[in-house]
Amino acid sequence: MRRGDAIGRHLLLITAIVLMLFPVALALATSFKPVSTIFDLNPLPFPASMENYDLAVGKFPIGRLLWNTFVMAAGVTVATMLVALPAAYALVRFDTARGRGFVLAAVGISLLIPPQALIIPQFLMTAKLGWQGHTIGVIIPQLGVSALAVLLLRDHIRSVPQSLIGAAVLEGATSWEILRHVVLGVLRPALGAVAILLFISTWNEFLWPLLVMPDPEDTTIQPGLALFVGPESAQYGPMLAAAMLASLPVVVIYVLASRRIADAFLHSGVR
Amino acid sequence: MTLTKTPEVTPKARVVERPAATGLAWLYFSPTMLSITVWVYGPLVFTAVLSFLDWNLVSPDIEFNGLKNYETLLTEPEFGNAAWNTLKYALFVLPFATVVPCALAIALWKRPGRVSEFYRMLLFLPVVLAPVANALSWQFILDPLYGTLNQVLGFAGVEPINWLGDPATALPTVVVVTAPKVVALNTLLFGAALASLDRRTVDAARLDDATEGEITRAIILPQLRRPIVLLGLLSMVVVWPWLFTNIGVLTRGGPSNATDNVYYRLYTYGFTFFDAGTASAAAIVIALAFGLLLTVHTLLSRRFRATR
């Protein structure tokens, strides 16, 4: 690659990164500025102050909201993996089973139905079940999108070497044992990546928890933040501090697992 | 010995390797099928039924409304405006779903290694960031009086602009706020599409003194035609919840419905006006329009393949 091309390439990538991340970077820096200088153009928060964080934690039930969000995200992740993994496995393993095409079509089409078109019945169903205001009401209905996990996992399971499965079959392993010991053994990193993505995307869910748990004191972090801000308060300092606290857990998880996540995507079947 | 043994093992192995145990397969399928039946297909039918009723979501009187809800929808200007805005959103989002991430993914692909890994990590970060936190960061930057953007533009002599409060700028601004998520996701997915490309063709072209621009145009882009269409279409599935969050936090559909779209309208009918019938009719219209779009795409791509 010529020198000019190489420089152009770095310039393109760095410009894109700066444009995409500066709002959040600025918000992060601002959240550490003392209230009196918050609108100064100097973005550097020195001397740093925790004032905004104290205010945010004081007037906003952040612990409660983070805990609810964690329960929701972990619940959806575990439940989705439990539901989707057997189906993805069976789609690969029993590839002559009758009805396999039907299952594949049902799974694929369910992903194309705009989720917003379903919220009213889903809302009524959770209300009827008495799940309004409870984390179970935000967890179970989100299993409707487990179809995406089925398709992602199917791509990964297809990549398990046939010889490994064949060997297990010859030793008399049942299909369940093969799933538990062979497939799960080989695919642990890929499954981890799918689980992490599920966790992160559920953590960031806004509309559904807003409908099921609309109490600002006892909801999840995304709607909680939105309700905390409200139209009248323009207290940017504490608001940005709370926003940073809401992102922190998933950003940490992402940075730790980013290699894995990228790999899981790069080997998925988008072609 | 080996000759007599081999034919015995192979057919047996094949039989157990591909069992046609339909009953067992359905045991594995059932949790997923149950979930999507209860939480997707059931609600879809339920929505279709609700769209013919007049009901406020709580009271016991439910009345049959015939096609009235659809009539209201199609005659009231709000839904027409929302539909028109939806089209505008789609048009503005499209470059961020195709051209931009495609260019970034190609730049990443051309020189693999540690530096590219690091860029890739940063480029995907917006997908992960909490959407409400992102919206609030932008609210701070776009504040008409004290916002960073207007202060910086002020140095260039530009009068303060009320980015989210002016109907002329509000919709494009919401798109710009949402764009990083779309760019980030599709950059990674274009990367996945590029992963199957043969690097040796590019190396050979470089040896033949082809410029990087020529390589991109002649070798890489022709192979990305299908992913570009596919990811453009995919963005039309994933972008609406992201836009929804930003609209919900930043503009609530305003000013004077300038940032409204069909999804936000559906939510407004259902959960601000508690009009289950009209909201469901809107949902059905959206689902049908979306189905139509997919059918057209499938037919066109089939035709395209047939003519090749």
Side-chain angles (χ1 to χ4, degrees), chain B residues 78-133:
Chain B
E78 283 89 358
F79 194 74
N81 168 63
W84 176 236
N85 282 348
T86 307
L87 218 60
K88 281 200 261 184
Y89 273 116
L91 222 59
F92 282 127
V93 164
L94 221 46
F96 296 112
T98 53
V99 182
V100 179
C102 186
L104 294 172
I106 290 174
L108 284 175
W109 184 82
K110 277 198 169 165
R111 272 270 174 276
R114 291 239 160 160
V115 182
S116 286
E117 292 285 339
F118 181 65
Y119 285 148
R120 199 193 298 281
M121 183 193 98
L122 289 177
L123 279 171
F124 190 66
L125 197 56
V127 175
V128 174
L129 287 174
V132 176

Side-chain angles (χ1 to χ4, degrees), chain A residues 115-124 207-208 211, chain B residues 266-267 271:
Chain A
Q116 296 88 343
L118 309 173
I119 51 173
I120 289 176
Q122 288 176 341
F123 173 79
L124 293 169
L207 174 59
W208 187 241
L211 292 178
Chain B
L266 187 165
Y267 170 81
F271 296 97

Side-chain angles (χ1 to χ4, degrees), chain A residues 83 86-87 89-90 94 175-176 179, chain B residues 23-32:
Chain A
V83 163
Y89 170 68
F94 302 102
S175 62
W176 179 250
L179 172 60
Chain B
L24 191 59
W26 275 90
L27 198 64
Y28 285 103
F29 291 147
S30 54
T32 292

Side-chain angles (χ1 to χ4, degrees), chain A residues 196-219:
Chain A
I196 288 166
L197 276 173
L198 268 170
F199 185 89
I200 291 173
S201 70
T202 314
W203 181 281
N204 287 337
E205 185 63 39
F206 173 70
L207 174 59
W208 187 241
L210 176 69
L211 292 178
V212 178
M213 301 177 81
D215 175 6
E217 297 291 322
D218 188 20
T219 180

Side-chain angles (χ1 to χ4, degrees), chain A residues 153-190:
Chain A
L153 291 172
R154 184 180 73 125
D155 276 335
H156 287 299
I157 294 173
R158 264 203 295 218
S159 71
V160 174
Q162 276 299 308
S163 55
L164 267 180
I165 294 176
V169 170
L170 283 179
E171 282 178 23
T174 63
S175 62
W176 179 250
E177 286 165 345
I178 293 176
L179 172 60
R180 275 205 49 194
H181 300 297
V182 183
V183 174
L184 286 186
V186 176
L187 286 182
R188 195 160 294 155

Side-chain angles (χ1 to χ4, degrees), chain A residues 1-2 5 9-10 12-14 16-17 19-24 26-27 30 38-41 82-84 86-87 89-91 93-100 102-103 105-126 129 131 140-141 143-147 150 162-163 165-166 169-170 175-176 179 197 200 203-204 206-207 210-211 222-223 225-226 229-231 234 236 239-240 243-244 246-247 250-251 254-255 258-259 261-262 265-268 270-271, chain B residues 9 13 16-22 24-26 28-29 31-33 35-36 38-44 46-47 50 55 57 103-104 106-112 115-134 136-141 143 146-148 151-152 155 180-181 183-185 188-189 191-196 206 209-213 226-227 230-231 237 240-241 244-245 248-249 252 263 266-267 270-271 275-276 279-280 283-284 286-287 290 294:
Chain A
M1 200 183 269
R2 274 159 241 216
D5 288 327
R9 174 179 167 272
H10 287 283
L12 172 72
L13 289 167
I14 292 170
I17 289 168
L19 283 178
M20 282 161 74
L21 293 180
F22 91 88
V24 179
L26 187 69
T30 306
I38 211 152
F39 292 113
D40 283 0
L41 267 189
L82 287 178
V83 163
Y89 170 68
L91 280 172
R93 181 96 181 93
F94 302 102
D95 61 356
T96 53
R98 209 171 306 150
R100 183 180 163 277
F102 171 75
V103 172
V107 164
I109 294 170
S110 80
L111 284 177
L112 297 175
I113 297 167
Q116 296 88 343
L118 309 173
I119 51 173
I120 289 176
Q122 288 176 341
F123 173 79
L124 293 169
M125 285 157 78
T126 48
L129 288 164
W131 288 352
I140 301 296
L143 286 179
V145 291
S146 58
V150 172
Q162 276 299 308
S163 55
I165 294 176
V169 170
L170 283 179
S175 62
W176 179 250
L179 172 60
L197 276 173
I200 291 173
W203 181 281
N204 287 337
F206 173 70
L207 174 59
L210 176 69
L211 292 178
Q222 303 300 328
L225 262 178
V229 176
Y236 283 117
M239 174 181 104
L240 292 176
M244 292 306 115
S247 303
V250 278
V251 171
Y254 169 67
V255 171
S258 69
R259 263 306 273 284
I261 293 174
F265 264 105
L266 293 183
H267 299 138
S268 71
V270 184
R271 230 158 275 136
Chain B
V9 173
V16 270
E17 219 173 24
R18 300 188 177 282
T22 303
L24 191 59
W26 275 90
Y28 285 103
F29 291 147
T32 292
M33 291 307 279
S35 306
I36 59 179
V38 172
W39 296 108
V40 177
Y41 291 109
L44 188 65
F46 197 173
T47 304
L50 281 175
W55 185 35
L57 289 171
L104 294 172
I106 290 174
L108 284 175
W109 184 82
K110 277 198 169 165
R111 272 270 174 276
V115 182
S116 286
E117 292 285 339
F118 181 65
Y119 285 148
R120 199 193 298 281
M121 183 193 98
L122 289 177
L123 279 171
F124 190 66
L125 197 56
V127 175
V128 174
L129 287 174
V132 176
N134 175 59
L136 295 180
S137 309
W138 276 98
Q139 194 180 349
F140 174 73
I141 290 166
D143 188 288
Y146 310 107
T148 319
Q151 283 198 48
V152 171
F155 291 125
K181 281 213 182 253
V183 173
L185 179 66
L188 198 66
L189 294 177
L194 281 166
S196 62
R206 280 198 188 129
D209 263 343
T211 64
E212 290 301 318
R226 232 173 85 78
L230 206 65
L231 294 181
V237 181
W240 305 109
F244 186 96
T245 308
V249 176
R252 312 227 160 137
Y263 297 106
L266 187 165
Y267 170 81
F271 296 97
D275 180 351
S280 301
I284 293 298
I286 293 168
F290 198 73
L294 286 174

